[in-house]
Amino acid sequence: MRIKTFIISSFVVIVLYAFTNITTHQSKSIFKPPSNFPEPVYNFEQNPVTKAGFELGRYLFYDTRLSGNYKISCGFCHIQSDAFTQHGHIVSHGINNRTGIRNAPPVMNLAWATSFMLDGRAATLDEQPLIPITDHVEMDCSIDTIIERLQPDKVYRSMFKKAFGSSIITEQNILKALSQFMLLCISANSKYDKVMRNEGETFTADEAAGYEVFKRTCNGCHKEPLFTDYSFRSNGFNIVSAEDKGAFNITQDSADIYKFKVPSLRNLVYTAPYMHNGQLYQFKSIIPQYRFYVENNPNLDTLLVHEGKRGFDMTDKEAEQLEAFLQTLNDSSFVNNPALSEPDIQYKADIF
C-alpha cells in the first residue's frame, strides 16, 4: 500500500513539475516595449513571446512550405530590407505570379495595432496569417496541408516542443509562433526616437521646423509615436480599382466606402510604392499629393478640408521642412537587424 501510494504521489509530483516547467518557460516573455511607446494592446497573457517561440515563428515566416506551390513565404511579400513590404510591385504579387489589388503593408510595431489588414478584416494578430495563407492570390494553401508537411520534420517537432511543450504541430501554435515573430518586428530606433528618448540626438533646424509643420497637419491621423492612429479614413486619393472599396467590403456600411487603415509614416524611405494601391512611386510625391491632389468623395476625411479647400495649406519651404522631419522616422537598424532576417532553412523553393 505504501509502495502504491509512493508511486502515485511520485507521478503527481512529476506531472506537476513538468506542467510548471512548461508554463514557466512559456511565460518568460522577451517582449520589451520601447520607453517612448505607449502600452501595447496585444494580449501577451495568452501568448507570451519567448525566445523559442520567436525563433520558431521566424522559421515559419520564411518557410515556403506555407504556400500551395512551395515557393511563397510570408517573407516573399514582406521583405526586411523594405521594412517588410514588397518593393518593385505596385500591388502584391503572390503564388504563380497572381496579382492582388493592394500594396503590402509593413510588418512593424504590430503589438500596438487594434485591427489588421488595410480593411480591418482581421480582429487579432493571431488570426491574421490565416488570410494570406488561404487566399487564392497570395499563398493558396491550408493549415491542414501545412501541418501535414511540417509534422514529419524532426527540426520543427523539436522547435514546437521547445516553444509550446508538445511536438504535435497544431494550427493554434503555428499562428501563435508567427505572432511572436511579428511582435518583435519593432521599429523604434530612428533619429526621432533617439531625440524623444534624449539619447544624444537633436533635430536640425529644418527637421525641428518640419516637426512643427507635422504637428499642425499630419498628426491628426498619424499620431505619435507610432505615426498612425489605426483608424480607417478616406484620404481623397484617386480611385484606381472600383472593386476595392476599403473597409466597406467588410462592413457593408456606406460610410466606410474608400476608407482604408491609416498607415504608419515610419520607414517611408524603404516602403515605396505608397498608398493602399501603390500608385505613388516616390517619397517626394507624398507631400504634394496632400497639398494639391486631394479628390472629393462623400466620405472624405474632414481633417483634409480647411475652410472649404481640400488638402494642407503650406509653403514650399514648409513642405521641404516636413520632408526633412519625415526622414527622421527611418530606422536603418530595423531593416538590417539579423535577428529578423531569413534563417538557413533546409527546404528551398528551387528544389521543388
Side-chain angles (χ1 to χ4, degrees):
M1 186 65 178
R2 288 180 179 178
I3 295 175
K4 183 177 181 180
T5 302
F6 175 77
I7 293 173
I8 293 174
S9 299
S10 299
F11 176 76
V12 171
V13 169
I14 292 170
V15 169
L16 288 175
Y17 177 77
F19 178 79
T20 301
N21 270 0
I22 292 171
T23 304
T24 302
H25 179 70
Q26 288 183 330
S27 64
K28 290 181 179 179
S29 179
I30 59 174
F31 180 88
K32 296 180 180 179
S35 61
N36 60 313
F37 276 26
E39 285 296 313
V41 299
Y42 183 81
N43 187 349
F44 288 98
E45 291 185 2
Q46 293 186 0
N47 187 28
V49 180
T50 64
K51 184 177 180 180
F54 164 79
E55 191 64 15
L56 171 59
R58 183 166 76 110
Y59 269 70
L60 290 169
F61 188 85
Y62 289 105
D63 197 328
T64 57
R65 285 176 288 179
L66 271 63
S67 67
N69 67 352
Y70 291 87
K71 293 185 177 180
I72 306 295
S73 67
C74 303
F76 180 83
C77 285
H78 299 282
I79 304 165
Q80 183 184 8
S81 59
D82 303 321
F84 292 97
T85 63
Q86 189 177 35
H87 186 71
H89 296 293
I90 294 174
V91 293
S92 296
H93 287 211
I95 191 170
N96 297 323
N97 208 33
R98 295 169 190 161
T99 304
I101 58 175
R102 292 178 184 163
N103 183 18
V107 176
M108 175 179 66
N109 298 338
L110 298 182
W112 292 269
T114 53
S115 64
F116 302 86
M117 312 296 285
L118 289 171
D119 53 20
R121 70 179 61 189
T124 68
L125 180 60
D126 292 353
E127 68 184 85
Q128 184 277 331
L130 285 173
I131 296 173
I133 285 172
T134 59
D135 187 87
H136 173 71
V137 171
E138 297 189 56
M139 300 174 79
D140 198 16
C141 201
S142 70
I143 288 291
D144 288 343
T145 298
I146 292 169
I147 292 173
E148 183 179 326
R149 292 173 179 178
L150 300 186
Q151 189 63 61
D153 189 319
K154 64 180 182 180
V155 174
Y156 266 121
R157 291 200 304 271
S158 175
M159 293 182 79
F160 272 92
K161 184 173 180 59
K162 188 174 181 181
F164 299 110
S166 172
S167 60
I168 303 299
I169 300 175
T170 66
E171 174 180 341
Q172 182 183 48
N173 288 342
I174 289 174
L175 297 176
K176 282 187 172 183
L178 283 168
S179 286
Q180 290 191 38
F181 173 75
M182 292 188 288
L183 287 165
L184 289 193
C185 291
I186 300 172
S187 179
N189 203 33
S190 65
K191 181 175 183 178
Y192 162 86
D193 295 304
K194 294 173 183 177
V195 171
M196 294 299 113
R197 294 195 295 257
N198 298 311
E199 292 178 356
E201 293 274 6
T202 57
F203 289 140
T204 65
D206 278 347
E207 291 166 353
Y211 185 29
E212 296 305 314
V213 176
F214 168 83
K215 289 188 284 188
R216 175 168 59 83
T217 56
C218 315
N219 196 45
C221 301
H222 299 279
K223 299 287 188 183
E224 298 178 68
L226 298 162
F227 291 91
T228 172
D229 63 357
Y230 297 106
S231 63
F232 296 84
R233 301 173 187 260
S234 173
N235 65 353
F237 194 71
N238 59 307
I239 306 305
V240 176
S241 174
E243 65 180 284
D244 188 7
K245 296 183 178 180
F248 171 80
N249 290 355
I250 307 304
T251 67
Q252 295 299 297
D253 184 343
S254 60
D256 288 332
I257 293 177
Y258 301 130
K259 286 186 177 181
F260 295 88
K261 182 186 288 187
V262 174
S264 174
L265 298 181
R266 287 177 173 271
N267 294 311
L268 291 177
V269 73
Y270 305 113
T271 58
Y274 308 100
M275 305 298 161
H276 69 275
N277 51 18
Q279 290 298 302
L280 294 184
Y281 308 129
Q282 297 181 354
F283 173 75
K284 286 185 175 291
S285 301
I286 299 173
I287 296 174
Q289 168 66 31
Y290 286 99
R291 292 179 68 192
F292 308 120
Y293 305 114
V294 174
E295 296 187 0
N296 196 22
N297 70 62
N299 293 326
L300 178 65
D301 198 274
T302 57
L303 290 176
L304 291 170
V305 181
H306 306 87
E307 298 181 353
K309 182 181 177 181
R310 297 189 298 274
F312 292 122
D313 185 20
M314 67 180 73
T315 66
D316 290 345
K317 180 62 176 178
E318 287 175 325
E320 292 175 4
Q321 292 168 335
L322 175 58
E323 182 178 316
F325 170 71
L326 293 177
Q327 293 280 10
T328 72
L329 305 182
N330 299 319
D331 181 359
S332 61
S333 65
F334 177 61
V335 300
N336 292 297
N337 185 352
L340 304 178
S341 63
E342 182 175 1
D344 184 18
I345 300 175
Q346 180 181 356
Y347 296 90
K348 297 293 185 180
D350 57 7
I351 70 173
F352 291 95

Short mmCIF file of all heavy atoms in Angstrom, two decimals, residues 43-101:
data_model
loop_
_atom_site.label_atom_id
_atom_site.label_comp_id
_atom_site.label_asym_id
_atom_site.label_seq_id
_atom_site.Cartn_x
_atom_site.Cartn_y
_atom_site.Cartn_z
N ASN A 43 -2.59 40.87 -26.40
CA ASN A 43 -2.79 40.10 -25.18
C ASN A 43 -1.64 39.12 -24.98
O ASN A 43 -1.67 37.98 -25.46
CB ASN A 43 -4.12 39.35 -25.24
CG ASN A 43 -4.47 38.67 -23.92
OD1 ASN A 43 -3.64 38.58 -23.01
ND2 ASN A 43 -5.70 38.20 -23.81
N PHE A 44 -0.62 39.56 -24.27
CA PHE A 44 0.56 38.72 -24.04
C PHE A 44 0.30 37.62 -23.02
O PHE A 44 1.07 36.66 -22.95
CB PHE A 44 1.74 39.58 -23.58
CG PHE A 44 2.31 40.43 -24.68
CD1 PHE A 44 1.94 41.76 -24.80
CD2 PHE A 44 3.20 39.91 -25.59
CE1 PHE A 44 2.46 42.55 -25.81
CE2 PHE A 44 3.73 40.69 -26.60
CZ PHE A 44 3.36 42.01 -26.71
N GLU A 45 -0.76 37.73 -22.24
CA GLU A 45 -1.06 36.66 -21.28
C GLU A 45 -1.43 35.38 -22.01
O GLU A 45 -1.13 34.28 -21.54
CB GLU A 45 -2.21 37.11 -20.37
CG GLU A 45 -1.82 38.22 -19.40
CD GLU A 45 -2.95 38.55 -18.44
OE1 GLU A 45 -4.01 37.87 -18.51
OE2 GLU A 45 -2.79 39.47 -17.62
N GLN A 46 -2.07 35.50 -23.16
CA GLN A 46 -2.45 34.32 -23.92
C GLN A 46 -1.31 33.80 -24.80
O GLN A 46 -1.33 32.64 -25.22
CB GLN A 46 -3.68 34.62 -24.79
CG GLN A 46 -4.94 34.87 -23.99
CD GLN A 46 -6.16 35.03 -24.87
OE1 GLN A 46 -6.08 34.95 -26.10
NE2 GLN A 46 -7.31 35.26 -24.26
N ASN A 47 -0.35 34.67 -25.07
CA ASN A 47 0.75 34.25 -25.94
C ASN A 47 2.01 35.05 -25.63
O ASN A 47 2.42 35.92 -26.40
CB ASN A 47 0.36 34.44 -27.42
CG ASN A 47 1.39 33.86 -28.37
OD1 ASN A 47 2.12 32.92 -28.05
ND2 ASN A 47 1.46 34.44 -29.57
N PRO A 48 2.66 34.76 -24.50
CA PRO A 48 3.89 35.48 -24.18
C PRO A 48 4.98 35.18 -25.20
O PRO A 48 5.11 34.05 -25.67
CB PRO A 48 4.26 34.95 -22.78
CG PRO A 48 3.58 33.62 -22.69
CD PRO A 48 2.31 33.75 -23.48
N VAL A 49 5.77 36.18 -25.54
CA VAL A 49 6.83 36.00 -26.53
C VAL A 49 8.06 35.41 -25.85
O VAL A 49 8.67 36.05 -24.99
CB VAL A 49 7.18 37.34 -27.20
CG1 VAL A 49 8.28 37.12 -28.24
CG2 VAL A 49 5.96 37.96 -27.84
N THR A 50 8.41 34.20 -26.22
CA THR A 50 9.59 33.55 -25.67
C THR A 50 10.65 33.45 -26.77
O THR A 50 10.36 33.57 -27.96
CB THR A 50 9.27 32.14 -25.16
OG1 THR A 50 8.86 31.33 -26.28
CG2 THR A 50 8.15 32.18 -24.13
N LYS A 51 11.87 33.22 -26.37
CA LYS A 51 12.95 33.07 -27.34
C LYS A 51 12.67 31.91 -28.29
O LYS A 51 12.86 32.03 -29.51
CB LYS A 51 14.28 32.85 -26.61
CG LYS A 51 15.47 32.79 -27.53
CD LYS A 51 16.78 32.65 -26.74
CE LYS A 51 17.98 32.58 -27.69
NZ LYS A 51 19.26 32.45 -26.93
N ALA A 52 12.19 30.80 -27.73
CA ALA A 52 11.91 29.62 -28.56
C ALA A 52 10.74 29.87 -29.49
O ALA A 52 10.75 29.46 -30.66
CB ALA A 52 11.63 28.41 -27.67
N GLY A 53 9.71 30.54 -28.99
CA GLY A 53 8.54 30.83 -29.81
C GLY A 53 8.86 31.81 -30.92
O GLY A 53 8.39 31.67 -32.06
N PHE A 54 9.66 32.82 -30.60
CA PHE A 54 10.07 33.79 -31.61
C PHE A 54 10.88 33.13 -32.72
O PHE A 54 10.65 33.36 -33.91
CB PHE A 54 10.91 34.90 -30.96
CG PHE A 54 11.69 35.73 -31.93
CD1 PHE A 54 11.08 36.73 -32.66
CD2 PHE A 54 13.04 35.49 -32.13
CE1 PHE A 54 11.80 37.48 -33.58
CE2 PHE A 54 13.77 36.24 -33.04
CZ PHE A 54 13.15 37.24 -33.76
N GLU A 55 11.83 32.29 -32.33
CA GLU A 55 12.68 31.64 -33.33
C GLU A 55 11.87 30.70 -34.21
O GLU A 55 12.08 30.63 -35.43
CB GLU A 55 13.82 30.88 -32.65
CG GLU A 55 14.90 30.40 -33.60
CD GLU A 55 15.65 31.53 -34.28
OE1 GLU A 55 15.55 32.70 -33.84
OE2 GLU A 55 16.35 31.24 -35.28
N LEU A 56 10.93 29.99 -33.61
CA LEU A 56 10.03 29.14 -34.39
C LEU A 56 9.23 29.99 -35.37
O LEU A 56 9.08 29.63 -36.55
CB LEU A 56 9.10 28.37 -33.45
CG LEU A 56 7.95 27.60 -34.10
CD1 LEU A 56 8.47 26.56 -35.10
CD2 LEU A 56 7.10 26.93 -33.02
N GLY A 57 8.70 31.10 -34.90
CA GLY A 57 7.94 31.99 -35.76
C GLY A 57 8.77 32.53 -36.91
O GLY A 57 8.28 32.69 -38.03
N ARG A 58 10.04 32.80 -36.65
CA ARG A 58 10.93 33.29 -37.70
C ARG A 58 11.10 32.23 -38.79
O ARG A 58 11.06 32.55 -39.99
CB ARG A 58 12.30 33.66 -37.11
CG ARG A 58 13.27 34.25 -38.13
CD ARG A 58 14.46 34.92 -37.45
NE ARG A 58 15.42 33.95 -36.94
CZ ARG A 58 16.64 33.76 -37.46
NH1 ARG A 58 17.04 34.48 -38.51
NH2 ARG A 58 17.47 32.89 -36.93
N TYR A 59 11.29 30.98 -38.38
CA TYR A 59 11.40 29.90 -39.37
C TYR A 59 10.11 29.77 -40.19
O TYR A 59 10.16 29.62 -41.41
CB TYR A 59 11.73 28.58 -38.67
CG TYR A 59 13.20 28.32 -38.54
CD1 TYR A 59 13.99 29.08 -37.67
CD2 TYR A 59 13.83 27.33 -39.28
CE1 TYR A 59 15.35 28.86 -37.55
CE2 TYR A 59 15.19 27.09 -39.17
CZ TYR A 59 15.95 27.87 -38.30
OH TYR A 59 17.30 27.65 -38.19
N LEU A 60 8.98 29.83 -39.52
CA LEU A 60 7.71 29.71 -40.22
C LEU A 60 7.49 30.88 -41.18
O LEU A 60 6.98 30.71 -42.29
CB LEU A 60 6.56 29.63 -39.22
CG LEU A 60 6.47 28.35 -38.38
CD1 LEU A 60 5.47 28.53 -37.25
CD2 LEU A 60 6.08 27.16 -39.26
N PHE A 61 7.85 32.08 -40.75
CA PHE A 61 7.63 33.28 -41.55
C PHE A 61 8.35 33.19 -42.90
O PHE A 61 7.84 33.68 -43.92
CB PHE A 61 8.14 34.50 -40.77
CG PHE A 61 7.82 35.83 -41.40
CD1 PHE A 61 6.61 36.45 -41.16
CD2 PHE A 61 8.76 36.47 -42.21
CE1 PHE A 61 6.31 37.68 -41.72
CE2 PHE A 61 8.48 37.71 -42.77
CZ PHE A 61 7.25 38.31 -42.53
N TYR A 62 9.51 32.55 -42.91
CA TYR A 62 10.31 32.47 -44.14
C TYR A 62 10.20 31.11 -44.84
O TYR A 62 10.92 30.87 -45.81
CB TYR A 62 11.77 32.76 -43.82
CG TYR A 62 12.04 34.22 -43.49
CD1 TYR A 62 12.27 34.62 -42.17
CD2 TYR A 62 12.06 35.19 -44.48
CE1 TYR A 62 12.53 35.95 -41.85
CE2 TYR A 62 12.31 36.52 -44.18
CZ TYR A 62 12.55 36.89 -42.87
OH TYR A 62 12.80 38.21 -42.57
N ASP A 63 9.34 30.24 -44.39
CA ASP A 63 9.25 28.89 -44.94
C ASP A 63 8.27 28.85 -46.11
O ASP A 63 7.09 29.16 -45.95
CB ASP A 63 8.82 27.90 -43.86
CG ASP A 63 9.13 26.46 -44.24
OD1 ASP A 63 9.08 26.13 -45.44
OD2 ASP A 63 9.42 25.66 -43.33
N THR A 64 8.75 28.44 -47.28
CA THR A 64 7.90 28.40 -48.47
C THR A 64 6.89 27.25 -48.43
O THR A 64 5.99 27.20 -49.26
CB THR A 64 8.77 28.26 -49.74
OG1 THR A 64 9.59 27.10 -49.63
CG2 THR A 64 9.66 29.49 -49.91
N ARG A 65 7.04 26.35 -47.49
CA ARG A 65 6.07 25.25 -47.38
C ARG A 65 4.72 25.72 -46.88
O ARG A 65 3.75 24.95 -46.85
CB ARG A 65 6.63 24.15 -46.47
CG ARG A 65 7.70 23.30 -47.13
CD ARG A 65 8.29 22.29 -46.18
NE ARG A 65 9.15 22.90 -45.18
CZ ARG A 65 9.78 22.24 -44.22
NH1 ARG A 65 9.63 20.93 -44.12
NH2 ARG A 65 10.56 22.87 -43.37
N LEU A 66 4.62 27.00 -46.52
CA LEU A 66 3.34 27.55 -46.10
C LEU A 66 2.48 27.96 -47.30
O LEU A 66 1.36 28.44 -47.13
CB LEU A 66 3.52 28.76 -45.18
CG LEU A 66 3.62 28.44 -43.68
CD1 LEU A 66 4.83 27.59 -43.36
CD2 LEU A 66 3.65 29.72 -42.86
N SER A 67 2.99 27.77 -48.52
CA SER A 67 2.22 28.11 -49.72
C SER A 67 1.90 26.85 -50.51
O SER A 67 2.54 25.82 -50.37
CB SER A 67 3.01 29.08 -50.61
OG SER A 67 4.16 28.45 -51.14
N GLY A 68 0.90 26.99 -51.38
CA GLY A 68 0.43 25.83 -52.14
C GLY A 68 1.49 25.23 -53.04
O GLY A 68 1.56 24.01 -53.20
N ASN A 69 2.32 26.08 -53.65
CA ASN A 69 3.31 25.57 -54.61
C ASN A 69 4.73 25.52 -54.04
O ASN A 69 5.70 25.37 -54.78
CB ASN A 69 3.30 26.40 -55.89
CG ASN A 69 3.79 27.83 -55.67
OD1 ASN A 69 4.01 28.25 -54.53
ND2 ASN A 69 3.94 28.57 -56.76
N TYR A 70 4.87 25.66 -52.73
CA TYR A 70 6.17 25.58 -52.05
C TYR A 70 7.12 26.73 -52.42
O TYR A 70 8.32 26.65 -52.17
CB TYR A 70 6.90 24.26 -52.37
CG TYR A 70 6.29 23.01 -51.80
CD1 TYR A 70 5.29 22.35 -52.49
CD2 TYR A 70 6.74 22.47 -50.61
CE1 TYR A 70 4.73 21.18 -52.00
CE2 TYR A 70 6.21 21.30 -50.09
CZ TYR A 70 5.19 20.66 -50.79
OH TYR A 70 4.64 19.49 -50.30
N LYS A 71 6.61 27.82 -52.97
CA LYS A 71 7.51 28.87 -53.45
C LYS A 71 7.29 30.23 -52.80
O LYS A 71 8.10 31.13 -52.98
CB LYS A 71 7.37 29.01 -54.97
CG LYS A 71 7.88 27.80 -55.73
CD LYS A 71 7.84 28.02 -57.23
CE LYS A 71 8.42 26.81 -57.96
NZ LYS A 71 8.40 27.01 -59.43
N ILE A 72 6.21 30.40 -52.06
CA ILE A 72 5.89 31.71 -51.47
C ILE A 72 5.90 31.60 -49.95
O ILE A 72 5.22 30.75 -49.37
CB ILE A 72 4.51 32.22 -51.94
CG1 ILE A 72 4.43 32.24 -53.46
CG2 ILE A 72 4.23 33.59 -51.36
CD1 ILE A 72 5.36 33.22 -54.12
N SER A 73 6.67 32.45 -49.32
CA SER A 73 6.65 32.54 -47.85
C SER A 73 6.02 33.87 -47.45
O SER A 73 5.78 34.74 -48.30
CB SER A 73 8.07 32.45 -47.30
OG SER A 73 8.81 33.61 -47.67
N CYS A 74 5.80 34.04 -46.17
CA CYS A 74 5.34 35.36 -45.69
C CYS A 74 6.37 36.43 -46.06
O CYS A 74 6.02 37.56 -46.42
CB CYS A 74 5.15 35.35 -44.18
SG CYS A 74 3.99 34.10 -43.57
N GLY A 75 7.65 36.03 -45.97
CA GLY A 75 8.74 36.95 -46.28
C GLY A 75 8.85 37.31 -47.75
O GLY A 75 9.62 38.21 -48.10
N PHE A 76 8.10 36.65 -48.61
CA PHE A 76 8.12 36.97 -50.04
C PHE A 76 7.47 38.33 -50.29
O PHE A 76 7.94 39.11 -51.13
CB PHE A 76 7.40 35.88 -50.83
CG PHE A 76 7.35 36.12 -52.32
CD1 PHE A 76 8.42 35.78 -53.12
CD2 PHE A 76 6.22 36.67 -52.92
CE1 PHE A 76 8.39 36.00 -54.50
CE2 PHE A 76 6.17 36.90 -54.28
CZ PHE A 76 7.26 36.55 -55.08
N CYS A 77 6.37 38.60 -49.61
CA CYS A 77 5.68 39.89 -49.75
C CYS A 77 6.09 40.88 -48.67
O CYS A 77 5.73 42.06 -48.76
CB CYS A 77 4.17 39.70 -49.71
SG CYS A 77 3.47 39.00 -51.21
N HIS A 78 6.77 40.41 -47.65
CA HIS A 78 7.18 41.27 -46.54
C HIS A 78 8.70 41.13 -46.37
O HIS A 78 9.18 40.33 -45.58
CB HIS A 78 6.42 40.90 -45.27
CG HIS A 78 4.93 41.06 -45.42
ND1 HIS A 78 4.31 42.28 -45.34
CD2 HIS A 78 3.96 40.15 -45.66
CE1 HIS A 78 3.02 42.12 -45.52
NE2 HIS A 78 2.77 40.84 -45.72
N ILE A 79 9.42 41.92 -47.16
CA ILE A 79 10.87 41.82 -47.28
C ILE A 79 11.53 42.75 -46.26
O ILE A 79 11.22 43.95 -46.22
CB ILE A 79 11.30 42.19 -48.71
CG1 ILE A 79 10.59 41.29 -49.73
CG2 ILE A 79 12.82 42.08 -48.87
CD1 ILE A 79 10.67 41.79 -51.15
N GLN A 80 12.43 42.22 -45.47
CA GLN A 80 13.02 43.01 -44.38
C GLN A 80 13.69 44.28 -44.88
O GLN A 80 13.53 45.34 -44.29
CB GLN A 80 14.02 42.17 -43.59
CG GLN A 80 14.59 42.94 -42.40
CD GLN A 80 15.66 42.19 -41.65
OE1 GLN A 80 16.11 41.13 -42.09
NE2 GLN A 80 16.09 42.72 -40.52
N SER A 81 14.45 44.20 -45.97
CA SER A 81 15.16 45.38 -46.45
C SER A 81 14.22 46.48 -46.90
O SER A 81 14.64 47.64 -47.03
CB SER A 81 16.10 45.00 -47.61
OG SER A 81 15.36 44.43 -48.68
N ASP A 82 12.96 46.15 -47.13
CA ASP A 82 11.94 47.13 -47.50
C ASP A 82 10.99 47.38 -46.34
O ASP A 82 9.81 47.69 -46.54
CB ASP A 82 11.15 46.64 -48.72
CG ASP A 82 12.06 46.35 -49.92
OD1 ASP A 82 13.01 47.13 -50.12
OD2 ASP A 82 11.83 45.36 -50.62
N ALA A 83 11.52 47.25 -45.12
CA ALA A 83 10.71 47.40 -43.90
C ALA A 83 9.51 46.46 -43.93
O ALA A 83 8.41 46.81 -43.53
CB ALA A 83 10.28 48.86 -43.70
N PHE A 84 9.76 45.25 -44.44
CA PHE A 84 8.76 44.19 -44.50
C PHE A 84 7.56 44.57 -45.37
O PHE A 84 6.41 44.28 -45.05
CB PHE A 84 8.32 43.76 -43.10
CG PHE A 84 9.40 43.05 -42.34
CD1 PHE A 84 10.20 43.73 -41.44
CD2 PHE A 84 9.67 41.70 -42.56
CE1 PHE A 84 11.23 43.09 -40.74
CE2 PHE A 84 10.69 41.05 -41.89
CZ PHE A 84 11.48 41.74 -40.98
N THR A 85 7.85 45.25 -46.50
CA THR A 85 6.87 45.43 -47.57
C THR A 85 7.42 44.75 -48.81
O THR A 85 8.48 44.13 -48.77
CB THR A 85 6.62 46.93 -47.86
OG1 THR A 85 7.85 47.53 -48.32
CG2 THR A 85 6.15 47.65 -46.60
N GLN A 86 6.70 44.87 -49.94
CA GLN A 86 7.15 44.22 -51.17
C GLN A 86 7.52 45.29 -52.18
O GLN A 86 6.67 45.87 -52.86
CB GLN A 86 6.08 43.29 -51.73
CG GLN A 86 6.59 42.43 -52.88
CD GLN A 86 5.55 41.46 -53.40
OE1 GLN A 86 4.36 41.75 -53.43
NE2 GLN A 86 5.98 40.28 -53.83
N HIS A 87 8.80 45.56 -52.30
CA HIS A 87 9.29 46.59 -53.22
C HIS A 87 9.27 46.08 -54.65
O HIS A 87 9.41 44.89 -54.90
CB HIS A 87 10.71 46.99 -52.83
CG HIS A 87 11.25 48.14 -53.61
ND1 HIS A 87 10.79 49.42 -53.44
CD2 HIS A 87 12.20 48.21 -54.58
CE1 HIS A 87 11.44 50.23 -54.27
NE2 HIS A 87 12.30 49.52 -54.97
N GLY A 88 9.07 47.00 -55.60
CA GLY A 88 9.15 46.64 -57.01
C GLY A 88 7.82 46.32 -57.65
O GLY A 88 7.74 46.13 -58.86
N HIS A 89 6.76 46.25 -56.85
CA HIS A 89 5.43 45.98 -57.39
C HIS A 89 4.47 47.07 -56.90
O HIS A 89 4.53 47.49 -55.75
CB HIS A 89 4.89 44.63 -56.93
CG HIS A 89 5.70 43.46 -57.43
ND1 HIS A 89 5.76 43.11 -58.75
CD2 HIS A 89 6.47 42.57 -56.77
CE1 HIS A 89 6.54 42.05 -58.89
NE2 HIS A 89 7.00 41.70 -57.71
N ILE A 90 3.59 47.52 -57.77
CA ILE A 90 2.57 48.48 -57.37
C ILE A 90 1.66 47.83 -56.33
O ILE A 90 1.34 48.42 -55.29
CB ILE A 90 1.76 48.97 -58.58
CG1 ILE A 90 2.66 49.76 -59.53
CG2 ILE A 90 0.59 49.84 -58.14
CD1 ILE A 90 1.98 50.16 -60.82
N VAL A 91 1.22 46.61 -56.63
CA VAL A 91 0.44 45.81 -55.68
C VAL A 91 1.14 44.47 -55.53
O VAL A 91 2.00 44.09 -56.33
CB VAL A 91 -1.02 45.62 -56.15
CG1 VAL A 91 -1.76 46.94 -56.14
CG2 VAL A 91 -1.07 45.00 -57.56
N SER A 92 0.77 43.74 -54.52
CA SER A 92 1.46 42.49 -54.19
C SER A 92 1.27 41.43 -55.27
O SER A 92 0.20 41.30 -55.85
CB SER A 92 0.97 41.97 -52.85
OG SER A 92 1.30 42.86 -51.82
N HIS A 93 2.34 40.67 -55.48
CA HIS A 93 2.29 39.51 -56.35
C HIS A 93 2.41 38.28 -55.47
O HIS A 93 3.28 38.20 -54.61
CB HIS A 93 3.43 39.54 -57.36
CG HIS A 93 3.25 40.54 -58.44
ND1 HIS A 93 3.73 40.38 -59.71
CD2 HIS A 93 2.62 41.74 -58.45
CE1 HIS A 93 3.41 41.41 -60.46
NE2 HIS A 93 2.75 42.27 -59.70
N GLY A 94 1.55 37.30 -55.70
CA GLY A 94 1.54 36.11 -54.87
C GLY A 94 1.88 34.85 -55.64
O GLY A 94 2.71 34.87 -56.57
N ILE A 95 1.25 33.76 -55.28
CA ILE A 95 1.54 32.46 -55.85
C ILE A 95 1.30 32.46 -57.35
O ILE A 95 0.34 33.06 -57.85
CB ILE A 95 0.69 31.38 -55.13
CG1 ILE A 95 1.14 29.98 -55.50
CG2 ILE A 95 -0.81 31.57 -55.41
CD1 ILE A 95 0.50 28.89 -54.66
N ASN A 96 2.19 31.80 -58.09
CA ASN A 96 2.11 31.71 -59.54
C ASN A 96 1.99 33.08 -60.20
O ASN A 96 1.35 33.25 -61.24
CB ASN A 96 0.93 30.81 -59.96
CG ASN A 96 1.10 29.38 -59.49
OD1 ASN A 96 2.22 28.85 -59.49
ND2 ASN A 96 0.01 28.76 -59.06
N ASN A 97 2.60 34.08 -59.55
CA ASN A 97 2.61 35.46 -60.04
C ASN A 97 1.21 36.07 -60.15
O ASN A 97 0.98 36.99 -60.95
CB ASN A 97 3.33 35.57 -61.39
CG ASN A 97 3.94 36.95 -61.59
OD1 ASN A 97 4.37 37.60 -60.63
ND2 ASN A 97 3.96 37.40 -62.83
N ARG A 98 0.27 35.57 -59.37
CA ARG A 98 -1.06 36.17 -59.35
C ARG A 98 -0.97 37.55 -58.70
O ARG A 98 -0.21 37.76 -57.76
CB ARG A 98 -2.04 35.28 -58.57
CG ARG A 98 -2.28 33.93 -59.25
CD ARG A 98 -3.02 32.96 -58.35
NE ARG A 98 -3.04 31.61 -58.91
CZ ARG A 98 -3.28 30.51 -58.22
NH1 ARG A 98 -3.54 30.58 -56.92
NH2 ARG A 98 -3.27 29.32 -58.81
N THR A 99 -1.78 38.47 -59.18
CA THR A 99 -1.68 39.86 -58.76
C THR A 99 -2.84 40.23 -57.86
O THR A 99 -4.01 39.98 -58.19
CB THR A 99 -1.67 40.79 -59.98
OG1 THR A 99 -0.59 40.40 -60.85
CG2 THR A 99 -1.45 42.24 -59.55
N GLY A 100 -2.52 40.85 -56.72
CA GLY A 100 -3.55 41.32 -55.81
C GLY A 100 -4.04 42.70 -56.21
O GLY A 100 -3.75 43.20 -57.31
N ILE A 101 -4.75 43.36 -55.31
CA ILE A 101 -5.28 44.69 -55.59
C ILE A 101 -4.74 45.74 -54.62
O ILE A 101 -5.09 46.91 -54.73
CB ILE A 101 -6.83 44.71 -55.56
CG1 ILE A 101 -7.35 44.24 -54.19
CG2 ILE A 101 -7.40 43.84 -56.67
CD1 ILE A 101 -8.87 44.36 -54.05
#
